[in-house]
Amino acid sequence: MSQGVVTVNVGVLLPVLAPAIGAAVVLVADVVAQRLRRTHYVVALASLVVGAVATFAGLGMGAGDARQTLCLPGGGQCMYAGDSVASALQLVALLAAAVTLLLSWPDDRKQSTGGTAVIVSLVLSATAGATAVAGARDLGSWLVAIELATLPTVALVALRGARSAISGAVALLTTSLVSFGLLALAAGLWFTATSSGFLTPAAALTVIDDPARRPILVLAVVLFVAGIGFKLSLVPFHAWTPEAYDGAPLPIAAFLAGVSKIAALAGLLVVIRAVAPLGASVLTSIALVAAASMTLGNIMALRQNGVVRLLAWSTVAQAGWVVMPLATVSTAAVRASGAYLVAYVLATLLAFAVVAALVQIRGSERARDLASYRGLMRDHPVLGAALGLALLSLAGLPPGVLGLVAKVTALRPVVGSELWLLAVIAAANAVLGVAVYVRWLRALLATPEERADEKTRVAVHTVRPHPATLVAVGFAAVSLVLTSVSPQLILGLMGS
């Protein structure tokens, strides 16, 4: 191209463009033919599949390799770069969004005219933000993408209309505003310290030997971690999580636990890679929030009797494991963090999918109560086995081998960097986490209580979940089985 023109590679941007275009098409289609509401899901799923296929070219690339676009003229820096880790996170985000749409499919007949299009377009918009932040390398694109991944979820939580949903949406909105304020301040400090609008190691290296500007950059990193900590549900920025999860419809709670967390980690990885040349001293804050998150999350999860709140506190605990490798400057830390998040998302999506299926069988009140899962393995062996595999994976116990491998992978950079206190805290929380998930697993395997009402007993065995929900359960279960049998698949996607 001629000098002065920004180069654009549509193929590299397709994981972002596909869901964004899908959202626009759904809204236009709803105006043209409002009654064809199921068509919106088909369009949305097709756009997600196109985006997922577009990530394949970036999977498994070697360290230092990346597919770049939106490059400035004259051989300047690029505003978008998709390497193996970014492509893997994009792939999982797109597939997690597809599971969310499958779980919400049974509700489309209950939505008022236009409601389905709103839900689908919001899910696609947030997914586009999640995929964009993974590749964004300039401050402006990075900030816009991470907020695009967040703000639509506020509306998705509130659309249920119940008091708990409004409360959860307000908590999420308040958190999002505070988070954005911290991130905007961090971006300003970054630019002040580096005189660069790009989140790259080259920008950070300009202040490595400058005693006046280095503290400004360190403060910027701390604020970046704090701002993303809200979105990743890290302690002490986690308070919104149980309320938002419990108030949201189950598919949206699954979206918060999956796609939103991928977007947050992707944004954090961009920052961590940029400041890696400054050494481990600037990453001390990550070690602190990782230790606090896994400890408080597990303790609070042990106290929950509702499965959605248990999964919410599980998210807090697992977020500590996700960011723990990033407390080191090991070259494997980024891949370890990404691999752990993928393992967590697969297991958590399967758990939410089974809960959603049981809501359709038993009703929302019973399916959200931990005590009601007593005897599930005998009443519904397929659903019980799927949920059991998800819980064992989260606990890191066989046959949930993926969870065990993910924990070992996350611990390896910490031990290699001789952060012994953090390693001991993680090991203790691994044991505590087992207690969290075994408590739920024990209910699955227990003998079901006798039902005095014969009609209730028969109904439990005759009601069937919606086919789309069963597809979501099957897809999540197969994905978890395959990655447990061959966990190197995920490590290979990350470029390990």
Side-chain angles (χ1 to χ4, degrees), residues 349-395:
L349 281 178
L350 179 55
F352 269 110
V354 173
V355 173
L358 290 174
V359 165
Q360 297 168 25
I361 295 173
R362 297 178 172 180
S364 179
E365 186 174 348
R366 289 195 64 207
R368 287 172 175 260
D369 183 10
L370 186 62
S372 297
Y373 284 75
R374 183 180 179 89
L376 178 65
M377 195 70 76
R378 194 178 82 170
D379 286 345
H380 301 281
V382 175
L383 293 178
L387 181 56
L389 177 61
L391 296 176
L392 288 171
S393 297
L394 289 169

Side-chain angles (χ1 to χ4, degrees), residues 129-333:
T131 54
V133 73
R137 292 297 180 268
D138 65 291
L139 288 171
S141 300
W142 187 87
L143 284 171
V144 170
I146 203 166
E147 287 311 303
L148 179 59
T150 303
L151 292 180
T153 61
V154 178
L156 287 168
V157 172
L159 280 176
R160 182 182 168 200
R163 179 177 297 180
S164 59
I166 300 300
S167 178
V170 170
L172 182 54
L173 177 61
T174 304
T175 297
S176 299
L177 294 175
V178 174
S179 171
F180 181 75
L182 291 174
L183 293 176
L185 180 57
L189 290 173
W190 177 278
F191 186 80
T192 300
T194 65
S195 299
S196 173
F198 288 86
L199 290 163
T200 61
L205 283 172
T206 61
V207 302
I208 194 169
D209 295 322
D210 190 332
R213 292 191 293 166
R214 185 182 172 95
I216 299 175
L217 189 61
V218 172
L219 179 58
V221 174
V222 172
L223 291 176
F224 273 128
V225 172
I228 297 175
F230 279 106
K231 303 177 186 300
L232 204 51
S233 298
L234 291 169
V235 172
F237 317 109
H238 66 286
W240 65 273
T241 309
E243 194 167 0
Y245 278 42
D246 202 32
L250 270 176
I252 304 309
F255 188 84
L256 288 170
V259 178
S260 292
K261 295 300 174 283
I262 293 172
L265 180 66
L268 181 60
L269 292 182
V270 173
V271 176
I272 295 301
R273 286 173 161 180
V275 300
L278 300 182
S281 59
V282 300
L283 305 178
T284 303
S285 59
I286 294 181
L288 295 175
V289 297
S293 296
M294 60 179 70
T295 302
L296 181 63
N298 281 325
I299 291 174
M300 293 303 297
L302 279 171
R303 297 166 53 89
Q304 305 305 312
N305 292 318
V307 297
V308 176
R309 282 189 171 268
L310 188 153
L311 287 171
W313 284 108
S314 166
T315 295
V316 176
Q318 299 291 349
W321 279 94
V322 168
V323 302
M324 181 180 66
L326 302 179
T328 73
V329 292
S330 166
T331 56

